[in-house]
Amino acid sequence: MKKKISLLVIIGVGIANIAQTTPSDKIRPGVVLYKIKKDATANELKSLNALLNSHVLREETVDGINLHIAQLNSKGREQAISKLLRGTGAVKFAEPDMIVSPSNTPNDPDFSNQWHHVTINSTYAWDTITSPEDIQAVKVCVLDTGVDQDHPDLMDNLLPGYNANHLRSVEDFHGHGTGTAGVIGAVGNNAEGISGVLWDVNIIPVQINNKTDDSTAYLSTMAKGIKWCADQGVKVANLSYEGANASTIDDAATYLREHGGLLFMSAGNSGNFYDTSFYPDWKSFIIVGSTNKSDIKSAFSNYGPFIDLVAPGESILTTYLGGKYVYYSGTSFSSPMVAGVGAMIFGLNPNFTPDEVENILLNSVVDLGDPGEDDMYGKGRLDAQKAVDMALEYISTAYQNPVPVASMTYLSDYTPRVVEFDGSSSSDDGTIISYLWDFGDGSGGEGMVLEHTYENPGQYYATLTVRDDQNLSATSEVLTVEVSTDPNFIHAPSALSSSENANSITLSWVDNSENEDGFMIERAKRVKGKYLFTPLSETASNINTFTDTIGEQGTYQYRVKAFNEIESSAYSNVVTVTVKKNNI
């Protein structure tokens, strides 16, 4: 049976708790990342909101992965506030935003044979599939410093890209992204320079570095890039940066995997051993270490239980700026090598799932070091020929049945939402004997037609897996279920701020609802160290500013809530102002 796939991605290096392991100079000043748990209780959310009102000026949410990027009202307390957020129990994770670097340093720009193709048996893999041009052209996101748009060995394989920093250009000014792109897809058999693992591939540059003279990138930008790639439905992406220690990246990789994608990350180049307390063995992506020409772990390659497999990563000749070529060393060039073979497998059968591609890559390796999986080499070293052979065998035995198709019908408009899932249109050349549903909220069920109730609002990703009388299974495409709240629910205003002119205080806030009748402004004066809020005034629903004139000196606080004839929202954050005698 055929199975639906969407995406594959590659990235940098990993550790569990950034707050405990990240030097302060790596932390983005005044910014914390967090994600709210789906099952957070009312008391936990109340504690979270109180903490946010006290410490957060404004925030941005990355839709789809629901990552909150919170701007604090003070700098230097990013780790402390992250700990407090985790302490509320309402968040899946909370950590400082972190600046990270590409995982390598370039060597001399010289031309030489690409020894890694001999080591990983690229030529034998190409012979097995007749030639690399015979397989379907796969879309590959390269999340990096951009790509040299005019490189003669890349330009024929380039598609329009995306700048995750909302800039216009994806032109590479550093060389790192051009190098990783060349490992995957330098045009082959064109009498020009070198050959990538794939000769005919669609490369989509996704630029994540901060600016043209800075190759580092923030975790938040990386997460945005991963999410964008997932939403484009591309097959493969490559992000050879550090940052695999971050829960933010794990969460983005999970989003990718839920949309049919697989994330690869480089192991990093400090040459250190890390146990799982520092480098979690995340299940959402694959981590790749580096080997040398002697099939020995590179001295710079990090190692530990988190390593999944290894690939050549020393003196890798690849594309460089200005139409040139250069040697690169680093795990940054091991992971795109594995990604290229992963893209080759997807090209053989676009219906492969991420799990199937991962299993083929990890079970077709050459075992190095201690027998079986070990901390130095993971499962072993990449072998393109064995991977292709295994993929073709899998196709010949397991992919002879029609693709299952699932459909669904909405029965209500808001929570609790009852959704009817119907798998009766699934088909097979034999007999389907089971229908297993994953509703995307941690529950599932069995049956051709089922009803399921979603109690909480959000976006859920449901799938149907069918099994036939030959014990072959297939999984449907992801079904996105949008569950909204009661339409009468009002979201609290946010980003309340103030400006002062003598004793005139002007407030402004962000309106987060469309169904309020107006806003209630409340004011409190500090008396004996305490504040007692009382209603001050109301504004219309289309007004989100208010000016107050104070006739008595002192320290005051303001807050705002939205209301309609049915209910009121929670309060916005609180702002504090001080009116001095000479201002009155």
Side-chain angles (χ1 to χ4, degrees):
M1 278 181 192
K2 298 180 181 178
K3 301 186 181 181
K4 171 89 175 171
I5 53 83
S6 304
L7 186 59
L8 172 66
V9 177
I10 312 131
I11 243 179
V13 189
I15 302 184
N17 191 339
I18 286 183
Q20 296 178 358
T21 62
T22 303
S24 59
D25 62 352
K26 296 288 186 181
I27 292 175
R28 185 179 185 181
V31 180
V32 167
L33 311 175
Y34 72 92
K35 181 171 185 176
I36 299 175
K37 295 192 302 187
K38 291 182 179 179
D39 58 351
T41 66
N43 286 336
E44 289 172 339
L45 291 173
K46 183 177 180 180
S47 298
L48 174 64
N49 288 330
L51 185 62
L52 295 174
N53 287 338
S54 299
H55 296 284
V56 174
L57 287 175
R58 65 187 68 87
E59 67 177 29
E60 170 192 355
T61 302
V62 181
D63 295 334
I65 57 177
N66 297 320
L67 172 67
H68 293 258
I69 306 172
Q71 181 71 51
L72 306 181
N73 55 19
S74 61
K75 298 178 181 180
R77 302 197 64 220
E78 298 82 10
Q79 297 189 34
I81 300 302
S82 297
K83 184 176 181 181
L84 291 174
L85 289 171
R86 294 193 295 270
T88 66
V91 300
K92 181 179 179 181
F93 63 84
E95 60 193 3
D97 202 357
M98 182 177 69
I99 194 80
V100 295
S101 303
S103 300
N104 64 77
T105 302
N107 290 322
D108 297 331
D110 195 13
F111 185 86
S112 181
N113 292 327
Q114 295 176 275
W115 66 271
H116 60 275
H117 282 314
V118 176
T119 299
I120 68 171
N121 286 318
S122 297
T123 56
Y124 291 101
W126 297 335
D127 288 342
T128 301
I129 57 177
T130 306
S131 99
E133 298 102 325
D134 287 347
I135 68 173
Q136 175 183 334
V138 181
K139 290 183 179 180
V140 179
C141 268
V142 176
L143 297 101
D144 216 296
T145 59
V147 173
D148 182 355
Q149 300 291 291
D150 300 320
H151 199 293
D153 231 359
L154 288 172
M155 57 189 302
D156 288 345
N157 281 344
L158 293 180
L159 293 181
Y162 167 73
N163 192 307
N165 281 306
H166 306 297
L167 303 175
R168 294 182 179 179
S169 174
V170 292
E171 187 67 46
D172 189 6
F173 291 92
H174 299 276
H176 187 263
T178 300
T180 56
V183 173
I184 296 173
V187 180
N189 200 31
N190 64 343
E192 183 78 49
I194 63 169
S195 173
V197 174
L198 278 177
W199 294 0
D200 184 14
V201 62
N202 294 311
I203 296 174
I204 303 176
V206 177
Q207 194 169 61
I208 60 168
N209 56 301
N210 289 320
K211 45 193 175 182
T212 57
D213 59 350
D214 184 357
S215 63
T216 60
Y218 285 112
L219 295 175
S220 51
T221 310
M222 295 160 67
K224 290 177 185 177
I226 295 171
K227 190 262 181 184
W228 183 87
C229 290
D231 291 343
Q232 306 314 301
V234 301
K235 295 290 187 182
V236 179
N238 176 49
L239 174 54
S240 289
Y241 268 62
E242 298 175 346
N245 52 321
S247 297
T248 297
I249 300 301
D250 171 55
D251 195 68
T254 300
Y255 177 85
L256 179 61
R257 194 145 193 159
E258 288 172 346
H259 286 69
L262 183 62
L263 177 67
F264 289 80
M265 296 194 74
S266 52
N269 302 327
S270 59
N272 294 330
F273 170 82
Y274 294 104
D275 61 25
T276 53
S277 66
F278 289 93
Y279 273 68
D281 190 8
W282 302 114
K283 302 303 181 185
S284 58
F285 54 82
I286 293 175
I287 295 182
V288 184
S290 170
T291 52
N292 61 22
K293 293 181 180 180
S294 300
D295 252 356
I296 297 174
K297 185 190 81 69
S298 299
F300 55 75
S301 183
N302 291 339
Y303 61 104
F306 61 96
I307 295 293
D308 291 300
L309 77 165
V310 293
E314 293 190 30
S315 298
I316 304 301
L317 186 68
T318 186
T319 46
Y320 191 62
L321 302 180
K324 298 178 182 178
Y325 302 85
V326 68
Y327 287 112
Y328 272 107
S329 290
T331 55
S332 276
F333 300 92
S334 305
S335 60
M337 202 173 299
V338 180
V341 177
M344 186 183 296
I345 295 170
F346 274 122
L348 291 170
N349 181 13
N351 294 302
F352 273 137
T353 67
D355 285 348
E356 288 168 338
V357 172
E358 179 180 20
N359 289 334
I360 289 170
L361 289 172
L362 295 182
N363 290 301
S364 60
V365 296
V366 175
D367 192 9
L368 302 177
D370 295 335
E373 188 171 5
D374 60 68
D375 292 344
M376 299 285 282
Y377 302 98
K379 286 278 193 176
R381 193 252 302 139
L382 175 71
D383 190 306
Q385 178 191 10
K386 289 184 177 180
V388 167
D389 287 344
M390 184 175 292
L392 292 174
E393 181 180 0
Y394 196 90
I395 291 169
S396 67
T397 58
Y399 276 81
Q400 302 302 317
N401 294 322
V403 180
V405 179
S407 61
M408 64 181 179
T409 304
Y410 293 94
L411 300 185
S412 68
D413 293 329
Y414 51 86
T415 56
R417 167 172 270 181
V418 179
V419 177
E420 182 180 274
F421 292 94
D422 186 349
S424 60
S425 58
S426 302
S427 60
D428 187 73
D429 60 349
T431 302
I432 297 178
I433 61 175
S434 71
Y435 298 78
L436 296 177
W437 292 91
D438 181 345
F439 300 125
D441 61 353
S443 64
E446 183 172 2
M448 182 185 294
V449 179
L450 290 180
E451 285 187 0
H452 178 66
T453 301
Y454 292 93
E455 299 291 346
N456 298 311
Q459 191 174 64
Y460 300 92
Y461 306 103
T463 57
L464 167 65
T465 299
V466 297
R467 185 173 297 277
D468 69 3
D469 52 359
Q470 299 180 37
N471 203 34
L472 297 176
S473 63
T475 301
S476 71
E477 65 182 32
V478 174
L479 303 175
T480 302
V481 184
E482 294 281 357
V483 180
S484 61
T485 60
D486 188 317
N488 295 314
F489 180 82
I490 305 178
H491 295 277
S494 62
L496 178 63
S497 61
S498 64
S499 61
E500 303 170 36
N501 183 10
N503 63 331
S504 180
I505 311 299
T506 299
L507 305 173
S508 62
W509 58 89
V510 174
D511 180 3
N512 295 314
S513 293
E514 297 181 355
N515 59 338
E516 74 274 352
D517 294 334
F519 297 95
M520 172 66 72
I521 296 93
E522 295 186 4
R523 183 180 72 188
K525 182 180 180 183
R526 183 178 182 183
V527 179
K528 294 182 179 180
K530 297 182 179 180
Y531 294 91
L532 178 62
F533 281 97
T534 57
L536 176 62
S537 183
E538 295 181 6
T539 70
S541 61
N542 62 342
I543 298 175
N544 59 351
T545 63
F546 176 78
T547 300
D548 183 28
T549 301
I550 297 179
E552 184 179 350
Q553 69 176 358
T555 301
Y556 297 82
Q557 288 188 342
Y558 294 89
R559 65 185 184 185
V560 180
K561 68 177 179 180
F563 66 86
N564 60 25
E565 61 181 7
I566 297 177
E567 65 176 345
S568 297
S569 73
Y571 284 102
S572 69
N573 57 296
V574 174
V575 294
T576 303
V577 298
T578 299
V579 177
K580 298 180 181 179
K581 184 175 181 180
N582 58 5
N583 290 336
I584 298 177

